[in-house]
């Protein structure tokens, strides 16, 4: 019978193998970005670059990469902040306040998750034109926030409902207002759910393509997912340059995770002992 140490050893071996498998797409992308177009077409696709070159990265930097990066950072950051603010306030109302239309309004919002977001493209396009905000970052922020609210409100509402009511009752006895109850008690205890909502929406919006394509038309207002078009022509695509662009596009998310992983873990641990 296997001992605890042997089980632990096999567990870590499995995790190491799984991590390696999960990293294969990223390694392929990074290695390809260091090849020339000729080496990629003439050699083995999976082969490590014989003569690594940073020429593809220089090509990316010479283009509009930093403009795309700026637009993506602004659109995603503002959208995520608004999503967390609006969804947390709505979830607080649905989870901790009782009124006649509570269940009805909550059900209507949750029903929004069943609507395919792409069916809203034409109405949103018409609306942005009438509001004269077409081809702007503001045109992206509105749909990003609105379409992310149903799932975000659902996650936060279900989490806030699990917070013990004794805390709320004790706060009210001490004269705590509803706003202070929300901001000083419920919101800090909901940190794990807020982190989950932030990561989920931030990752999705960073890679969002179709709304950015429909609601922007000039390169100055486009986001990173649309920047790949700079390396496509009617005769073909510069695959190594595209891989360099994708590698650079992925780095901000990796850096954000590395810098914030301690806060994420602390938030999860805080949620584990919230009761």
């Amino acid at each position: 019978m296997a001992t605890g140490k042997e089980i632990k050893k096999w567990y870590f071996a499995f995790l190491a193998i799984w991590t390696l498998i999960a990293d294969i797409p990223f390694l392929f992308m990074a290695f390809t970005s260091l090849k020339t177009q000729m080496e990629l077409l003439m050699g083995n696709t999976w082969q490590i670059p014989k003569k690594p070159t940073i020429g593809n990265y220089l090509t990316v930097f010479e283009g509009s990469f930093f403009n795309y990066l700026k637009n993506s950072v602004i659109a995603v950051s503002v959208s995520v902040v608004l999503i967390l603010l609006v969804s947390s306030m709505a979830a607080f109302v649905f989870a901790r306040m009782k009124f006649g239309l509570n269940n009805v309004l909550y059900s209507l919002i949750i029903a929004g998750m069943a609507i395919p977001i792409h069916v809203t493209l034409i109405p949103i396009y018409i609306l942005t034109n009438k509001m004269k905000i077409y081809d702007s970052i503001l045109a992206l922020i509105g749909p990003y926030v609105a379409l992310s609210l149903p799932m975000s409100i659902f996650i936060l509402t279900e989490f806030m409902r699990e917070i013990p009511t004794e805390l709320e009752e004790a706060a009210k006895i001490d004269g705590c207002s509803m706003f202070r109850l929300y901001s000083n008690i419920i919101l800090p205890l909901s940190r794990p759910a807020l982190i989950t909502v932030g990561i989920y929406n931030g990752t999705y919006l960073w890679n969002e393509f179709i709304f950015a394509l429909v609601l922007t038309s000039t390169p100055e207002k486009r986001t990173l997912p649309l920047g790949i078009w700079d390396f496509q022509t009617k005769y073909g695509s510069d695959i190594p340059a595209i891989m360099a662009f994708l590698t650079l596009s992925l780095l901000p998310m990796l850096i954000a995770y590395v810098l914030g992983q301690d806060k994420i873990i602390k938030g999860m641990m805080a949620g584990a002992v919230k009761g």
Side-chain angles (χ1 to χ4, degrees):
M1 187 174 181
T3 63
K5 290 184 177 179
E6 291 177 344
I7 294 176
K8 189 175 182 180
K9 180 178 67 175
W10 284 108
Y11 175 73
F12 282 110
F14 171 76
L15 290 181
I17 295 173
W18 180 257
T19 301
L20 180 61
I21 295 174
D23 287 340
I24 287 177
F26 177 77
L27 293 175
F28 172 77
M29 182 172 63
F31 286 149
T32 304
S33 69
L34 298 174
K35 295 180 179 180
T36 63
Q37 182 83 325
M38 185 62 67
E39 182 181 357
L40 177 66
L41 296 176
M42 301 299 293
N44 187 343
T45 303
W46 296 94
Q47 185 177 354
I48 296 176
K50 294 180 180 179
K51 295 181 179 179
T53 176
I54 61 171
N56 297 310
Y57 290 93
L58 297 178
T59 300
V60 172
F61 289 144
E62 290 170 358
S64 302
F65 174 79
F66 291 106
N67 179 64
Y68 298 141
L69 177 63
K70 179 196 69 175
N71 293 338
S72 286
V73 170
I74 294 175
V76 173
S77 299
V78 175
S79 297
V80 170
V81 170
L82 290 176
I83 290 168
L84 292 176
L85 179 63
V86 175
S87 62
S88 63
M89 290 191 294
F92 173 75
V93 171
F94 291 131
R96 316 302 295 191
M97 300 176 66
K98 304 300 180 183
F99 55 94
L101 297 177
N102 186 307
N103 292 331
V104 175
L105 293 176
Y106 180 64
S107 299
L108 288 175
I109 291 177
I110 299 307
M113 292 191 297
I115 301 175
I117 62 174
H118 297 131
V119 304
T120 65
L121 273 173
I122 295 178
I124 289 176
Y125 171 78
I126 296 174
L127 182 62
T128 54
N129 270 298
K130 289 184 176 181
M131 295 177 64
K132 300 187 184 303
I133 59 173
Y134 175 74
D135 194 28
S136 68
I137 296 178
L138 186 59
L140 298 176
I141 293 175
Y144 282 177
V145 174
L147 297 173
S148 301
L149 285 179
M151 177 62 75
S152 303
I153 292 175
F154 172 74
I155 294 174
L156 291 173
T157 300
E158 296 306 313
F159 187 90
M160 289 182 182
R161 283 176 175 170
E162 297 300 320
I163 297 176
T165 56
E166 290 80 5
L167 295 175
E168 180 179 345
E169 294 170 355
K172 289 180 178 179
I173 292 175
D174 292 337
C176 186
S177 65
M178 294 302 293
F179 179 76
R180 288 191 61 190
L181 176 65
Y182 160 76
S183 60
N184 294 356
I185 297 177
I186 301 299
L187 209 57
L189 291 174
S190 302
R191 186 185 303 171
L194 292 171
I195 291 173
T196 301
V197 170
I199 293 174
Y200 173 80
N201 288 297
T203 303
Y204 168 73
L205 297 179
W206 187 261
N207 298 299
E208 200 283 320
F209 179 85
I210 190 65
F211 279 95
L213 172 64
V214 173
L215 300 179
T216 60
S217 59
T218 59
E220 291 75 16
K221 301 301 180 181
R222 286 178 172 172
T223 53
L224 280 172
L226 299 179
I228 298 175
W229 281 358
D230 289 347
F231 307 100
Q232 296 182 353
T233 67
K234 62 180 179 180
Y235 300 109
S237 302
D238 189 347
I239 302 300
I242 291 176
M243 292 300 178
F245 188 95
L246 293 175
T247 302
L248 292 171
S249 300
L250 181 62
L251 287 180
M253 299 298 290
L254 291 177
I255 293 173
Y257 174 76
V258 171
L259 295 179
Q261 61 178 332
D262 57 332
K263 295 182 180 179
I264 294 175
I265 295 173
K266 289 179 181 178
M268 295 301 182
M269 293 300 295
V273 297
K274 72 179 192 309

